[in-house]
Amino acid sequence: MQRIMIIGQPGSGKSTLARALSQITGLPVIHIDRIHWQSGWVERSRAEKTRLCHEAEAGEAWIFEGGHSATWDNRIRRADLLIWLDLPLGLRMWRVLWRLVRHYGRSRPDLPEGCPERLGRESLAFWAWIWNTRHSARQGMARLAGSEAARGKLIHLRSRREVAAWLQAQECGRRNGPGNAELR
């Protein structure tokens, strides 16, 4: 297992899972927010994001967490595993609030430097976006998960308990097996 794709809506735990899997596998993590944003919360152009995603996807080994669905078809073809974190909206909203509080005034580990968590017009727009895309974004992820390219590669996790159990199984496999853990 050399390439793992993680998708999910904001607050689903993509970055946290990616870091945990990196500890288990030794694979490098690619955070979409580092591609999407530049310091000072400056958004890259769509073309630049697409180019950077394709460059990252061309790598031999990665855990790529996050969106930019324009590049999902290429990414899923290269991925050995697709993990869809499909957690309830209420939990996700709580997690987004908690990460705002926990990292307030500082950049999160999955963001570029100079992108501090803050409460303002932009963050309120982000909350509105989470609410407004809750159905359409999920439908897009369901289409990807149901695609021919995802067949035999999909791990669909729908609760904190499922995520924790799956991750624990990966950790146990690592402790009990030689070398890098083969994810299941």
Side-chain angles (χ1 to χ4, degrees):
M1 188 84 39
Q2 292 298 304
R3 290 176 297 279
I4 301 169
M5 180 177 176
I6 303 173
I7 60 172
Q9 293 176 309
S12 61
K14 298 177 302 293
S15 297
T16 301
L17 180 61
R19 285 190 295 273
L21 286 176
S22 179
Q23 290 293 310
I24 294 168
T25 64
L27 296 172
V29 176
I30 301 163
H31 296 286
I32 193 65
D33 282 343
R34 287 182 173 261
I35 290 173
H36 187 88
W37 298 107
Q38 299 175 80
S39 184
W41 291 105
V42 175
E43 184 177 357
R44 294 183 199 276
S45 72
R46 183 173 178 82
E48 188 174 5
K49 287 185 275 191
T50 298
R51 180 185 61 76
L52 291 170
C53 283
H54 285 316
E55 283 178 11
E57 294 160 359
E60 286 305 308
W62 41 258
I63 298 171
F64 199 132
E65 66 88 3
H68 199 55
S69 60
T71 61
W72 279 358
D73 288 343
N74 184 63
R75 197 175 315 156
I76 190 61
R77 281 193 300 274
R78 297 223 58 234
D80 301 313
L81 182 66
L82 169 64
I83 302 171
W84 178 15
L85 298 177
D86 188 16
L87 279 65
L89 176 64
L91 173 61
R92 294 187 303 102
M93 296 290 262
W94 168 250
R95 285 178 168 181
V96 170
L97 177 62
W98 174 242
R99 88 180 171 202
L100 169 69
V101 169
R102 193 173 72 222
H103 296 284
Y104 191 79
R106 299 178 287 122
S107 295
R108 296 189 321 259
D110 51 308
L111 284 167
E113 283 299 316
C115 293
E117 285 289 338
R118 60 184 182 216
L119 188 57
R121 193 176 1 194
E122 300 86 5
S123 59
L124 294 176
F126 179 60
W127 285 81
W129 180 79
I130 293 171
W131 178 259
N132 293 333
T133 63
R134 67 192 186 281
H135 299 300
S136 60
R138 188 180 184 285
Q139 289 168 351
M141 290 175 204
R143 276 192 297 279
L144 178 67
S147 71
E148 182 65 32
R151 187 162 301 174
K153 300 179 182 182
L154 177 65
I155 303 292
H156 187 184
L157 303 171
R158 296 174 185 92
S159 69
R160 287 186 298 194
R161 180 173 286 160
E162 286 183 11
V163 172
W166 185 81
L167 191 55
Q168 184 176 11
Q170 308 321 305
E171 291 170 341
C172 288
R174 175 180 162 215
R175 283 193 298 269
N176 297 332
N180 268 358
E182 186 66 20
L183 299 178
R184 350 166 220 167

